[in-house]
Every structure is written in C-alpha cells, then in structure tokens.
Amino acid sequence: MLSPQSHPLIEATLPLVGERLPAIATGFYARMFTAHPELFDGLFSRSNQKSGVQQQALAGSIAAFAAHLVKDPTSAPEIMLSRIAHKHVSLGILPEQYDVVYTYLFESIAAELSDVITAEIADAWTEVYWLMAHALIKQERGLYAAAASDKPLAPWTVTHREPAGSDAVTFTLVPSDDTPASASRPGQYVGVTVRMPDGIRQVRQYSLSAGTGTTTRVFTVKLDNDGEVSPVLHRDVQVGDQLTLSNPCGDITLSTGNGPLVLASAGIGCTPLASILRSLVETGSDRKVLVLHAESTIERWALREQMRADVAILETAELELWLEAPSALDTAHDGFMSLDSVTIPDDASVYLCGPLPFMRAMRAQALASGVPAARIHYEVFGPDLWLASA
C-alpha cells in the first residue's frame, strides 16, 4: 500500500522519472557491474545488456508498478509481478540481492535526477522500490517453498538431441543426481545455464516442449546468432553433457476445466503451446482445441511432426497453418496469421506465444471477436510493456 504522503509525490514526479528511467536503468547496471562483475556469472545476461533489453525491462517494470500504485495505492499489479517472480526463480534470485539492486539503482536515480530530487522525493521512490521488492520476495519465497527441493538449480544430463525444423534443436535430459525434481505444468519453462567459451556461465529460459513429469526435461532451442547461449547449445552440447536447470517456472499454464482452447503461436513460440497440446493427448482430453500456427516456411516449423501427430490423435482438435512462403505440399493460408476467418468457440481460452508484434495483433483481434481479456493468456520472455494501456 502506497502511503498517503508518498502518493502525491510519486504522481507528480512519475512523468519525469518515466522519461529518465532508461538513463537511470543504464546508469544502474553500469554502477552495479563495475562494483560486482561476478553478477554476470550465472545471473545477468550479457547479450541482453548489450542489446538494451534488460535496461528496457527494468525501466518498464518500475514505471508500470509506480503508475499502478498511483492509480490504485492499495493494490499491486499481480500479473506483472508474477511473471517477474517466476523469471527470478528460474535464475535462483535470493532476497539479499534486492539490497544490492537498491544501492546502485538509487545511486543512479540520485545522479539522473540531481536537478530536482529532494529527500522527500527520494523517500517516496524508495517506498515504491521496497513495495515492489517485498511483493516479489514474498511470491518468490512461495515458489521456492513449493518446489520439490530447496536447491533452486540442479544438474541434468543430455540423453538425446535431434534437429527440430531447419534451425532448431530439441534436447532431452534426465537428472544427473538425486536432487528431487519438481513436476512441470504444461506451458512452463526452465532456466538453462551454459558455460561460455570464456568460462562465464550464462542463463537463458526455454519453454518445455513436451513432458510434465519429474524424470525428463525436453526443450527446443532455436539458433539465435545474436545471442550467446543458443549458439553454444547448438554447436557444443552433445549427448552425455551436463547442463544446469532451474525448477519449472512460468504462470501461463493450461487452465483446468473442459472449455475449448485456442493455441495460437508463431515461430519458436510454438514450444509452450506444443507442451499444452501434448498434455491434452497424455490425459486423453476431449476438450475442443483449435491449434493455429504461423511460420515463414514449412521447413522452419520446429515442432511440426509432434504437433501434427498430437492434433491427429485428439478427435476434437483442428489445425490451421499460415506460411509466408507457401508450400505446394501443405494446405496453408498465405502470409501472416489473421483471426478474421477463424471462428473462435464460445467460452474459449486463448493462449498466445510468439514475437511481440504477433501477440499484440492476435490479442487485439481476439478482443475484437469478443474474447474477454481475462481468457487471453500470453507468454512473454522480453519486456512486457505493450499491455500497459490495455
């Protein structure tokens, strides 16, 4: 709850702070990594720092949280915080690390707002930070407590690797030791830690593309030549190698009940939805399922065989495909996905995963077709800013 004395100060300074947040975030990371370069080892992504994605995510999260508190001082944006908490758990973030963030974040705030900041303004923004931090710590503590082990990370051994489409690889792993493993839920992801050629460990989150038990983890990795982790996975990781995995994370999971489902994906965004589809097969579900997928070419569809086979098994499932470069061997719509010609079943829950422009367009079209916002679920692995005004 934002205090009455802080509310008018945050409301008055939010536009200015929002304008300068990108510079504040950049200064924060520069200060923190200068003092603690070890945080790059197994925690922060160097490629996200280089591209500016991490700075954008931090700035957007703080601004969105503060704006929500101004609008409703008695509550917190639980959906946004839940996504951040799950991401933090996939990295093994601990409560004491929030103190480190606070120190360097507020050094950067003081520097960037030196022309306007007062003790009262600093106190108000300190309150916002700790409201957000304590809410996240509480959620993260619950996620850690619910896991099968008190170890947030554990070693897993690669037992299979096979091509998935023209530019992806599917890895299957089993536990390397007796650390208890948590079962995953359809749609979740794991943090995968990989040692880089220079010895630094880097982490990337990958959706589990099949399986929900405790004995195997299956994830599919698309090659990203601008990243660090996927090239190493594609080039170097072989059967018999060990990787460090987090517990399954992510709150965009299959809803209970018997209502119809729409699973709409683009590109490698098919992975969490393929997991949901596979779980429906494994449980013998009779839910009506409409699977929609968009791809540049049929060859790039990473989980083509798995998803088509699962649709064929489910008597109540249908598949529609969109291809930017049509194939003579496949019946597909030309170009980008559109819901204009799709009949969404009444009371359907819609799941989206893919590039942000794709999800933005699909969400808008689903809303226009009458699907309530509460029944539209989406997985985001970058800055979740595009729904701020929705």
Side-chain angles (χ1 to χ4, degrees):
M1 178 182 295
L2 187 62
S3 66
Q5 60 267 32
S6 292
H7 185 277
L9 291 170
I10 297 300
E11 185 173 27
T13 58
L14 182 57
L16 177 62
V17 172
E19 177 185 325
R20 299 188 187 181
L21 262 175
I24 291 170
T26 299
F28 154 68
Y29 283 115
R31 288 174 170 83
M32 185 173 69
F33 291 134
T34 297
H36 296 280
E38 73 278 3
L39 292 177
F40 271 129
D41 187 16
L43 193 58
F44 286 93
S45 166
R46 293 188 296 195
S47 60
N48 283 349
Q49 284 292 314
K50 183 178 179 180
S51 68
V53 167
Q54 192 70 56
Q55 295 90 326
Q56 185 183 1
L58 175 68
S61 298
I62 293 174
F65 186 81
H68 184 95
L69 289 179
V70 167
K71 184 178 179 180
D72 186 356
T74 64
S75 68
E78 297 298 335
I79 293 177
M80 181 191 77
L81 292 180
S82 178
R83 290 195 176 123
I84 296 173
H86 277 270
K87 178 72 174 290
H88 284 180
V89 168
S90 77
L91 295 167
I93 295 289
L94 300 174
E96 55 265 29
Q97 289 168 320
Y98 284 91
D99 293 294
V100 176
V101 170
Y102 172 78
T103 296
Y104 299 104
L105 179 60
F106 274 78
E107 281 186 10
S108 184
I109 288 175
E112 293 296 332
L113 299 179
S114 59
D115 55 332
V116 296
I117 199 164
T118 65
E120 291 77 17
I121 292 173
D123 287 345
W125 281 97
T126 294
E127 182 180 345
V128 169
Y129 173 82
W130 283 112
L131 282 172
M132 185 173 179
H134 287 145
L136 286 169
I137 290 170
K138 180 179 179 180
Q139 288 195 28
E140 290 157 20
R141 186 178 292 118
L143 293 173
Y144 285 128
S149 169
D150 58 1
K151 297 180 180 179
L153 308 173
W156 289 68
T157 301
V158 178
T159 58
H160 296 88
R161 63 165 285 163
E162 56 184 350
S166 59
D167 59 357
V169 175
T170 293
F171 294 90
T172 302
L173 302 91
V174 299
S176 302
D177 61 17
D178 58 0
T179 301
S182 298
S184 66
R185 298 195 301 275
Q188 289 193 303
Y189 58 83
V190 291
V192 180
T193 302
V194 178
R195 191 171 295 278
M196 298 293 103
D198 62 0
I200 294 296
R201 295 168 300 162
Q202 290 284 274
V203 186
R204 178 74 188 270
Q205 286 74 29
Y206 291 106
S207 296
L208 296 168
S209 50
T212 56
T214 61
T215 58
T216 61
R217 297 282 189 252
V218 182
F219 58 85
T220 302
V221 180
K222 179 182 177 181
L223 179 61
D224 177 7
N225 287 315
D226 294 327
E228 285 199 90
V229 175
S230 70
V232 171
L233 288 169
H234 274 244
R235 182 184 64 242
D236 299 335
V237 175
Q238 304 297 327
V239 171
D241 290 343
Q242 282 190 1
L243 297 173
T244 299
L245 304 187
S246 73
N247 287 314
C249 297
D251 58 354
I252 307 303
T253 59
L254 178 61
S255 61
T256 58
N258 297 311
L261 301 169
V262 176
L263 309 179
S265 60
I268 199 62
C270 66
T271 53
L273 305 191
S275 171
I276 290 176
L277 185 61
R278 172 57 56 87
S279 74
L280 296 172
V281 170
E282 292 173 343
T283 58
S285 174
D286 59 0
R287 298 177 75 166
K288 185 173 183 178
V289 186
L290 183 57
V291 179
L292 312 175
H293 184 66
E295 196 62 76
S296 55
T297 67
I298 192 64
E299 292 78 15
R300 297 192 73 184
W301 185 4
L303 298 176
R304 175 177 46 172
E305 290 81 6
Q306 175 182 323
M307 294 178 73
R308 280 183 161 165
D310 288 345
V311 168
I313 293 171
L314 292 170
E315 295 182 358
T316 54
E318 298 178 14
L319 170 66
E320 290 198 43
L321 179 65
W322 282 258
L323 295 173
E324 295 175 44
S327 168
L329 301 178
D330 290 273
T331 301
H333 302 280
D334 292 349
F336 299 109
M337 185 185 296
S338 171
L339 301 183
D340 291 344
S341 61
V342 175
T343 300
I344 297 179
D346 293 338
D347 301 324
S349 293
V350 177
Y351 290 81
L352 307 173
C353 193
L356 288 179
F358 165 81
M359 291 197 293
R360 183 184 298 115
M362 291 305 100
R363 183 176 186 274
Q365 292 178 30
L367 289 170
S369 70
V371 180
R375 291 211 306 270
I376 302 175
H377 314 279
Y378 58 94
E379 184 59 88
V380 178
F381 289 101
D384 186 11
L385 312 180
W386 55 280
L387 293 180
S389 61

